[in-house]
């Protein structure tokens, strides 16, 4: 009954919001799970924000099968996010973090013929963060809630001029939590001060009245594929933090593995150096150590990053292809390790 | 299923509801949707038949019962799995899983993590192609949980352990069957477990109690292994190299490594080619100052022994057997820790200590000799593990 009323309200909101959307803050704060993304009024289309919704970027992002990602945040009127340490921004209730995923027809001209596949929302409600995955229709006019996830075939021409086709997986709501969890609570992953600090982004957010507190990280993360932004070791650690550290940390879903790959983990056994497999099964791929210094080929951390086989491949979600450039970076780091 | 959801919405979830899911088109999405939409107290009722699934399933709602029409009737097949590390993942408390089967998952069969008071009852996990290195690691895999009850499960073909309980507290594994796995049943880095009335047969090793370093929970202790049949564990080790169970010799009955207060009693043990009972320290080098690698305060008593030790399947095993007159002992301790380890091996069969001088010492330093229990008192009997009443009720 309650849900029906909310849905009716959302429908009225949608009609009145067209054609220039207006963010529906009441809907954001409600318990509703609106069936259409448009109900929120957050986006004009999959990659264009509505007024009051601001784009942001990360120094080193998660690899998701070479998809292009568009990130936005919406803060409730008059409220600010707060930066204290180098970690996650402290977002007020009413915040929405928005991420759209898409592929161009040809990666060599990414601005052309871009097809947005899905938009994921992470909404900070009074009860905590809620993850809602929305899947766009083929002509990009409407996105529908798919809490149980979905697979779809996607093709594009890759940077090497070759055609690629994958079975793209939109995660289900539980899989969202598979990564977005710390302890028992759902949490954002990306917008950490250390990964947002590119020298001006935090200042710009503060200037726009969206951020209070620090505008600089003590130890900012470099850009994983920009050598001028940091050493191989720092860029590899940034890559591991963004791609593995959200699960592989002391409070994350992979804590029991004893392999902790977040930015602040000291370079010891728990970082993988000389660490034997725990409960890895065939994920050990016949190797004794996560990281064998000097020998990436004998390090199962690398082998699991390179694999595309379920049960071996890491990360378990978001990837059906090998991120060759990421594997190369981590391999180089291990090769140069004393 | 949709009708069930609508019915639930109409009653605003005042009462527990049932989500009925049948096999057929869209089974992946329908089943996963039910596991997401369910509310505490609800039942997800999976019909008889075969469900061909492409992705792992997951449940993150407290107090949900997932039940099928029986482990031979309701089959969740992951033969065509494209993603996720396991067949079914549970991350919520007070969940009951019963009366269904998971087949051919690419990773683990059913994993529950941080899922307190979980009941696994009458479930089957099987890799249908027999023992293979490419099979998933664990059949049942509860980890980091308090109150774990596994009752009447059947697991076959796991390339690590059929039933594996890791980094957990207060555990019962009973009335279950583990066959053709590398390890039949394994309790690892866990506190307070009763493993009883199980059948562990045709594995590489039957029942393992292990502790490993560099993990959030370690110092495993207070484990009873009793009234089990641990026989004919004769499947050649097919674990992928690098894993700890890859070091388990083919033909091991019960193996205890680096734990304290482990009691092995009233079991029927036999036809295990390496040995019926093996008590050892963690064997490789480690750098964890909080880790105790030795097995200590161990009691082995009142077990019935059949044949054992005619084919010790580890490097140096044949030489050791020759030194002992041709046969390997039925009960073996590596001797690490000496008298202070307080190891009481009291079965009236050939019982040998290797008298290794220290953890990690080479097997060539062994000075095998018949072992007599020390004059120290054996560790006190351990209390019976009890589960909350609601968990026991859920097994009925």
């Amino acid at each position: 009954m309650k849900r029906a009323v909310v849905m009716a309200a959302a429908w009225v909101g949608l009609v009145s919001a067209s054609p220039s959307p207006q963010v529906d803050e009441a809907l954001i704060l409600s318990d509703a799970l609106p069936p259409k993304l448009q109900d929120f009024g957050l986006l004009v289309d999959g990659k264009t924000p509505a007024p009051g919704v601001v784009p942001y970027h990360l120094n080193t992002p998660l690899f998701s099968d070479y998809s292009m990602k568009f990130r936005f945040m919406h803060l409730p009127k008059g409220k600010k996010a707060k930066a204290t340490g180098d970690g996650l921004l402290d977002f007020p209730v009413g915040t929405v973090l928005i991420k759209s995923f898409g592929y161009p027809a040809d990666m060599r001209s990414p601005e052309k013929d871009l097809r947005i596949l899905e938009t994921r929302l992470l909404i900070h409600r009074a009860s905590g963060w809620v993850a809602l995955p929305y899947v766009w229709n083929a002509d990009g006019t409407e996105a529908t809630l798919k809490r149980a996830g979905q697979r779809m075939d996607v093709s594009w021409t890759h940077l090497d001029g070759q055609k690629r086709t994958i079975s793209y997986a939109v995660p289900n709501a539980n899989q969202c939590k598979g990564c977005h969890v710390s302890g028992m609570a759902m949490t954002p992953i990306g917008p950490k001060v250390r990964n947002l600090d590119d020298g001006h982004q935090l200042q710009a957010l503060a200037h726009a009245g969206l951020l209070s507190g620090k505008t600089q990280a003590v130890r900012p993360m470099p850009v994983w594929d920009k050598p001028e932004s940091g050493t191989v070791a720092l860029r590899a650690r940034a890559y591991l933090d963004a791609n593995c550290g959200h699960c592989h940390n002391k409070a994350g879903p992979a804590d029991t593995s004893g392999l902790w790959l977040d930015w602040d983990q000291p370079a010891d056994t728990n970082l993988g150096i000389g660490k034997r497999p725990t409960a890895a099964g065939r994920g050990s791929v016949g190797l004794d150590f996560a990281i064998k210094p000097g020998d990436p080929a004998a390090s199962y951390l690398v082998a699991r990053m390179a694999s595309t086989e379920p049960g071996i491949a890491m990360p378990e979600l978001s990837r059906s292809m090998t991120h060759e450039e990421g594997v190369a970076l981590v391999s180089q780091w291990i090769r140069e390790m004393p | 299923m949709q009708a069930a959801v609508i019915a639930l919405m109409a009653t605003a979830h005042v009462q527990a509801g049932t989500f009925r899911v049948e096999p057929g088109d869209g089974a992946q999405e329908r089943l996963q949707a039910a596991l997401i939409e369910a509310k505490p107290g609800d039942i997800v009722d999976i019909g008889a038949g075969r469900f061909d699934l492409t992705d792992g399933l997951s449940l993150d709602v407290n107090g949900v019962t997932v039940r099928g029409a029986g482990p031979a009737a309701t089959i969740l097949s992951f033969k065509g799995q494209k993603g996720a590390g396991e067949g079914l993942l549970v991350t919520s408390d007070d969940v009951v899983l019963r009366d269904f089967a998971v087949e051919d998952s690419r990773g683990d069969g059913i994993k529950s993590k941080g899922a307190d008071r979980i009941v696994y009852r009458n479930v089957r996990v099987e890799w249908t192609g027999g023992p293979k290195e490419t099979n998933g690691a664990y059949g049942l895999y509860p980890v980091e949980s308090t109150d774990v009850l596994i009752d009447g499960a059947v697991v076959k073909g796991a390339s690590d352990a059929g039933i594996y309980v890791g980094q957990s507290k207060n555990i019962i594994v009973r009335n279950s069957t583990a066959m053709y796995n590398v390890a039949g049943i394994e309790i690892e880095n866990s506190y307070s477990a009763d493993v009883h009335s199980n059948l562990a047969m045709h594995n590489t090793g039957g029942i393992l109690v292990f502790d490993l370093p560099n993990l959030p929970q370690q110092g495993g202790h207070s484990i009873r292994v009793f009234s089990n049949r641990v026989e004919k564990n004769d499947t050649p080790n097919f674990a992928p190299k690098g894993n700890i169970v890859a070091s388990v010799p083919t033909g091991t009955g019960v193996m205890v490594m680096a734990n304290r207060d482990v009691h092995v009693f009233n079991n029927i043990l036999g036809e295990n080619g390496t040995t019926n009972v093996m008590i050892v320290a963690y064997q490789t080098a480690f750098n964890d100052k909080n880790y105790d690698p030795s097995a200590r305060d161990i009691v082995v008593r009142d077990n019935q022994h059949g044949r054992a030790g005619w084919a010790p399947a580890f490097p140096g095993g044949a030489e050791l057997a020759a030194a002992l007159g041709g046969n390997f002992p039925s009960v073996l301790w590596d001797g690490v820790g000496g008298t202070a380890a307080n190891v009481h091996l009291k079965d009236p069969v050939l019982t040998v200590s290797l008298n290794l001088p220290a953890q990690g010492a080479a097997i060539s330093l062994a000075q095998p000799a018949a072992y007599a229990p020390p004059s120290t008192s054996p560790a006190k009997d351990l209390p019976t593990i009890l589960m909350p009443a609601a968990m026991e009720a859920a097994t009925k």
Side-chain angles (χ1 to χ4, degrees):
Chain A
M1 223 15 220
K2 190 174 142 202
R3 182 182 286 188
V5 171
V6 171
M7 279 163 62
W11 181 77
V12 170
L14 174 66
V15 171
S16 61
S18 186
S20 82
Q22 199 173 353
V23 177
D24 185 342
E25 303 223 3
L27 185 60
I28 290 168
L29 289 168
S30 74
D31 291 332
L33 308 172
K36 301 294 176 193
L37 177 63
Q38 284 82 344
D39 297 351
F40 286 105
L42 291 159
L43 299 178
V44 177
D45 61 35
K47 62 177 175 35
T48 312
V53 179
V54 298
Y56 70 96
H57 64 268
L58 302 174
N59 295 344
T60 293
L62 172 76
F63 171 77
S64 310
D65 278 348
Y66 292 100
S67 63
M68 294 178 68
K69 302 187 195 179
F70 303 87
R71 297 178 179 81
F72 311 97
M73 62 174 82
H74 168 74
L75 293 168
K77 253 197 191 78
K79 297 276 176 58
K80 295 179 181 189
K82 200 170 163 197
T84 43
D86 271 9
L88 269 180
L89 292 181
D90 183 4
F91 290 104
V93 168
T95 299
V96 186
L97 300 174
I98 305 154
K99 186 152 75 162
S100 292
F101 296 69
Y103 290 85
D106 188 332
M107 290 242 172
R108 294 167 300 181
S109 37
E111 65 290 342
K112 280 202 327 209
D113 299 324
L114 179 71
R115 180 185 165 203
I116 299 292
L117 301 174
E118 57 155 332
T119 297
R120 303 179 194 167
L121 302 186
L122 206 50
I123 306 179
H124 198 187
R125 289 177 161 161
S127 55
W129 290 91
V130 179
L132 298 179
Y134 289 88
V135 176
W136 288 90
N137 59 4
D139 50 8
T141 55
E142 187 176 77
T144 304
L145 181 63
K146 287 280 183 185
R147 293 184 78 207
Q150 189 179 317
R151 277 194 176 273
M152 43 190 152
D153 289 335
V154 182
S155 300
W156 71 92
T157 304
H158 202 56
L159 295 163
D160 57 9
Q162 302 289 311
K163 194 175 168 190
R164 297 278 202 287
T165 301
I166 61 167
S167 171
Y168 182 92
V170 177
N172 67 53
N174 287 347
Q175 290 172 322
C176 297
K177 198 178 165 187
C179 295
H180 284 272
V181 68
S182 183
M184 294 303 283
M186 188 108 189
T187 175
I189 298 169
K192 295 177 173 119
V193 169
R194 61 177 182 257
N195 205 4
L196 289 165
D197 180 6
D198 61 357
H200 37 81
Q201 179 166 236
L202 291 167
Q203 289 89 325
L205 287 170
H207 190 72
L210 299 173
L211 182 69
S212 69
K214 298 175 43 160
T215 53
Q216 268 190 311
V218 177
R219 288 181 65 229
M221 277 163 54
V223 180
W224 70 278
D225 59 348
K226 286 222 169 86
E228 66 274 21
S229 72
T231 61
V232 167
L234 284 174
R235 286 185 291 120
R237 287 298 304 269
Y239 185 88
L240 293 175
D241 182 88
N243 284 277
C244 321
H246 45 82
C247 282
H248 281 275
N249 70 71
K250 278 181 198 176
D255 60 339
T256 52
S257 68
L259 180 65
W260 301 326
L261 301 170
D262 52 303
W263 183 240
D264 295 324
Q265 176 62 35
D268 60 12
T269 308
N270 292 116
L271 183 67
I273 299 168
K275 186 187 179 304
R276 293 176 185 279
T278 306
R282 65 205 183 93
S284 75
V285 292
L287 299 172
D288 285 328
F289 302 111
I291 293 174
K292 188 175 179 196
D295 194 352
S299 302
Y300 67 76
L301 179 82
V302 174
R304 298 192 75 166
M305 285 174 62
S307 173
T308 56
E309 219 184 312
I312 296 177
M314 284 283 162
E316 291 180 345
L317 302 174
S318 92
R319 184 171 83 71
S320 66
M321 304 173 70
T322 301
H323 189 201
E324 306 288 353
E325 299 81 1
V327 171
L329 174 66
V330 172
S331 297
Q332 189 185 352
W333 170 56
I334 293 174
R335 195 176 303 114
E336 292 173 2
M337 230 179 236
Chain B
M1 206 280 302
Q2 271 183 343
V5 173
I6 290 161
L8 278 163
M9 282 172 64
T11 57
H13 297 104
V14 174
Q15 296 167 313
T18 297
F19 291 76
R20 177 94 189 159
V21 185
E22 301 293 348
D25 284 350
Q28 176 81 41
E29 198 172 333
R30 289 184 290 113
L31 186 46
Q32 183 58 62
L35 295 171
I36 289 172
E37 302 287 339
K39 299 280 181 283
D42 285 351
I43 294 168
V44 175
D45 196 351
I46 314 177
R50 184 186 170 86
F51 293 73
D52 289 305
L53 302 166
T54 55
D55 284 275
L57 300 166
S58 54
L59 172 65
D60 188 40
V61 183
N62 292 339
V64 171
T65 294
V66 180
R67 76 177 182 212
T74 296
I75 296 167
L76 308 181
S77 172
F78 291 88
K79 213 161 202 158
Q81 189 173 6
K82 294 176 182 171
E86 52 276 311
L88 171 63
L89 173 66
V90 178
T91 48
S92 45
D93 297 335
D94 301 294
V95 166
V96 177
L97 307 173
R98 60 178 299 163
D99 309 316
F100 64 90
V102 166
E103 290 184 354
D104 298 316
S105 59
R106 304 293 301 272
D108 306 309
I110 307 175
K111 178 175 180 179
S112 52
K113 178 169 187 294
D116 294 342
R117 297 174 299 284
I118 189 162
V119 176
Y120 291 83
R121 166 79 178 129
N122 194 34
V123 290
R124 174 173 63 89
V125 175
E126 184 167 356
W127 284 270
T128 57
K132 277 186 196 157
E133 185 178 322
T134 51
N135 292 350
Y138 301 139
L140 305 184
Y141 179 11
V143 63
E144 207 177 47
S145 303
T146 298
D147 298 328
V148 174
L149 175 56
I150 296 175
D151 187 4
V154 174
V155 184
K156 295 180 182 176
S159 71
D160 198 302
I163 297 171
Y164 172 96
V165 184
Q167 300 182 55
S168 292
K169 297 169 189 161
N170 210 52
I171 300 147
I172 297 175
V173 179
R174 70 187 182 206
N175 306 324
S176 295
T177 299
M179 297 173 85
Y180 303 104
N181 309 287
V182 174
I185 299 168
E186 182 174 2
I187 308 294
E188 192 164 272
N189 290 55
S190 287
Y191 310 154
S192 302
D194 274 355
V195 179
H196 73 89
S197 312
N198 302 289
L199 172 64
M201 193 184 260
H202 297 304
N203 306 286
T204 299
I207 298 177
L208 276 45
V209 181
F210 280 16
D211 200 68
L212 302 177
N214 301 110
L215 294 177
Q217 177 172 310
Q218 57 195 40
H221 65 78
S222 307
I223 317 284
R224 304 194 305 172
V225 177
F226 63 97
S227 304
N228 302 286
R229 281 179 60 197
V230 186
E231 296 180 297
K232 299 192 179 95
N233 287 291
D234 53 8
T235 296
N237 196 319
F238 61 102
K241 184 175 166 284
N243 289 288
I244 188 73
V245 296
S247 65
V248 173
T250 301
T252 300
V254 176
M255 182 166 172
V256 177
M257 187 181 78
N259 264 258
R260 74 166 167 80
D261 286 296
V262 180
H263 295 216
V264 179
F265 57 97
N266 294 354
N267 299 287
I268 298 172
L269 312 164
E271 295 299 310
N272 297 306
T274 292
T275 186
N276 280 340
V277 181
M278 186 186 304
I279 314 288
V280 296
Y282 181 69
Q283 286 153 327
T284 49
F286 64 96
N287 63 349
D288 179 346
K289 59 184 181 333
N290 299 316
Y291 179 66
D292 189 332
S294 64
R296 60 245 183 249
D297 298 309
I298 307 293
V299 176
V300 176
R301 63 171 171 85
D302 301 313
N303 299 292
Q304 288 183 46
H305 286 260
R307 194 165 73 111
W310 71 91
F314 61 93
E319 292 78 357
L320 274 173
L324 291 163
N327 208 62
F328 208 66
S330 296
V331 179
L332 173 80
W333 177 39
D334 66 1
V336 172
T339 308
N342 197 32
V343 171
H344 288 260
L345 311 176
K346 305 205 281 196
D347 286 347
V349 289
L350 178 60
T351 300
V352 164
S353 170
L354 296 180
N355 292 308
L356 285 175
Q359 187 271 339
I363 196 102
S364 57
L365 298 175
Q367 296 185 305
Y371 182 70
S375 53
T376 51
S377 309
K380 280 207 179 71
D381 285 351
L382 297 165
T384 298
I385 303 294
L386 299 173
M387 289 293 147
M391 290 176 68
E392 287 292 353
T395 66
K396 303 297 182 237

